[in-house]
Amino acid sequence: MRACSDGVPLYPVYALLFADTGLSTAQVSSLFAIWSVVSFAAEVPSGALADAWSRRRLYALGELLTAAGFLLWLTWPSYAGFALGFVLWGLGGSFGSGSLEALVYDELAATGRTADYARVTGRGNTVAILAMLAATLLATPAWQAGGYLLVGALSIAVKLLGAALALRLPEPAASSSSDAPDEGTYWSLLRSGTREALGTPRVARAVLVAALVPGFTALDEYLPLLARDKGASIAAVPLLFAVTALAMAAGSALAGRDRIGLPLTLVTAAALIVAGGLTPHLAGMVAVSAAFGLLEYSIVRSETRLQETITGRARSTVLSVAGFGAEVFAVVLYASFAVELPLGVLFGLCAVPLLVTALVARR
């Protein structure tokens, strides 16, 4: 679900665009692989680039690259065009990963308001989730009115608007290193950021938790299948998806206040996932949705904790290391679902790594 939090109407239907162009399932899968490889490869280097250059400008550039990728899909609807579009989207997503969060934290630090980070980020994530939900609901009538061209044009407009708004964000002088000495160069920031993320025990634990928690949201890919296993009709699946999205929005909105603590939140989410996964009727989906709301709450809290532990200049680089870890963990989670077990049981088994994450967070 976080993958589609860009709020673009094209997201729910782009796989259909590929299929209608004549691509096989194997070709579509290879496109997803290209997207993942580019995102993995660019994640940490782009974080260092944000530290060395400008977080605001890099985020805006990422939005423009994604818009260019969508434009390629519309103007060159072929395997090559789709592949190049995914390369641009992968780069664009990596450019935005870590840079916006670091920019927000540095701006709050410049005004002595770092305690507000969780509240600001939580509200921002809530808006993003609701925008994703609105885009999902808009996709069908937009497609019916103007086909893929209209859906794609609206998605490009969203990205262009995002780039324009990003350029209007304030950026503390310390986050841009155009006039910085040697220690502010790209390679030095890349080294210092990865060293802090992996070599400082306190930061490394925070990076590990901030990587694991969002990785669990990869489970959202299986929610439609889980709902169908519990007896939901195809028409009811989008409604259940909306319930989960609203629970995530609520969790994010409440993350500004750490009322129950991160470890207890994760333990509660684990219990709800077990209960929801093993309940053989649709009531179980309510528990699963609540678990996703707690996971969203935990994402904001774990990211806030990581932000508070970072002491060096390479803030975006450290955050990008956590982002890379989240992507890797999500892939591991996907692979684990290839085991021949009932889907509800597989969901329940995810409570085990969640409890391990809670133990790490407790330290």
Side-chain angles (χ1 to χ4, degrees):
M1 192 169 292
R2 297 188 71 79
C4 58
S5 61
D6 287 335
V8 292
L10 191 57
Y11 189 89
V13 299
Y14 69 76
L16 300 178
L17 168 64
F18 302 156
D20 290 347
T21 307
L23 269 60
S24 66
T25 302
Q27 287 176 311
V28 173
S29 297
S30 69
L31 290 175
F32 293 153
I34 291 171
W35 188 19
S36 297
V37 169
V38 172
S39 298
F40 284 176
E43 181 74 31
V44 178
S46 64
L49 182 59
D51 288 323
W53 180 41
S54 166
R55 292 162 184 164
R56 178 185 63 188
R57 294 173 186 171
L58 191 67
Y59 185 86
L61 178 59
E63 295 289 276
L64 292 176
L65 286 177
T66 303
F70 294 160
L71 181 61
L72 270 176
W73 289 357
L74 299 179
T75 58
W76 190 13
S78 64
Y79 181 84
F82 296 145
L84 185 54
F86 265 127
V87 169
L88 294 176
W89 192 358
L91 288 173
S94 297
F95 285 179
S97 176
S99 58
L100 182 61
E101 293 86 349
L103 180 62
V104 171
Y105 192 87
D106 279 349
E107 174 62 21
L108 291 173
T111 56
R113 297 172 52 216
T114 54
D116 292 337
Y117 178 79
R119 178 179 58 82
V120 172
T121 302
R123 289 180 179 178
N125 286 351
T126 298
V127 172
I129 294 168
L130 294 178
M132 173 272 296
L133 182 58
T136 300
L137 297 175
L138 177 64
T140 297
W143 183 86
Q144 291 173 337
Y148 295 118
L149 182 61
L150 178 58
V151 174
L154 290 173
S155 301
I156 292 170
V158 168
K159 289 288 141 186
L160 293 178
L161 178 61
L165 292 176
L167 291 175
R168 295 178 61 86
L169 292 173
E171 184 167 26
S175 67
S176 179
S177 57
S178 56
D179 300 320
D182 290 343
E183 62 267 21
T185 63
Y186 173 82
W187 292 111
S188 64
L189 288 167
L190 178 61
R191 287 192 300 269
S192 64
T194 52
R195 189 183 304 119
E196 182 176 10
L198 303 176
T200 306
R202 183 166 176 261
V203 179
R205 285 195 296 270
V207 166
L208 180 59
V209 175
L212 291 175
V213 175
F216 284 104
T217 59
L219 292 172
D220 64 13
E221 303 291 349
Y222 302 96
L223 288 179
L225 297 176
L226 183 66
R228 189 173 62 181
D229 283 355
K230 294 183 183 300
S233 64
I234 295 177
V237 168
L239 297 177
L240 294 171
F241 183 90
V243 171
T244 304
L246 291 174
M248 293 175 68
S252 183
L254 294 173
R257 299 180 181 181
D258 190 10
R259 291 191 177 277
I260 59 176
L262 181 58
L264 183 56
T265 304
L266 294 174
V267 170
T268 306
L272 287 170
I273 283 181
V274 171
L278 299 182
T279 299
H281 46 76
L282 279 178
M285 295 304 298
V286 176
V288 172
S289 295
F292 269 82
L294 292 177
L295 284 175
E296 191 67 29
Y297 176 97
S298 301
I299 287 171
V300 177
R301 297 309 313 177
S302 62
E303 183 188 299
T304 301
R305 179 183 293 187
L306 174 57
Q307 292 272 26
E308 293 170 347
T309 63
I310 299 171
T311 58
R313 290 189 56 193
R315 183 173 299 276
S316 294
T317 306
V318 177
L319 293 172
S320 293
V321 172
F324 177 83
E327 296 287 350
V328 171
F329 179 63
V331 171
V332 172
L333 208 60
Y334 291 145
S336 69
F337 270 63
V339 177
E340 291 295 332
L341 287 174
L343 191 57
V345 174
L346 290 173
F347 261 79
L349 289 174
C350 288
V352 176
L354 250 180
L355 292 174
V356 172
T357 305
L359 289 175
V360 178
R362 188 172 183 272
R363 294 187 62 186

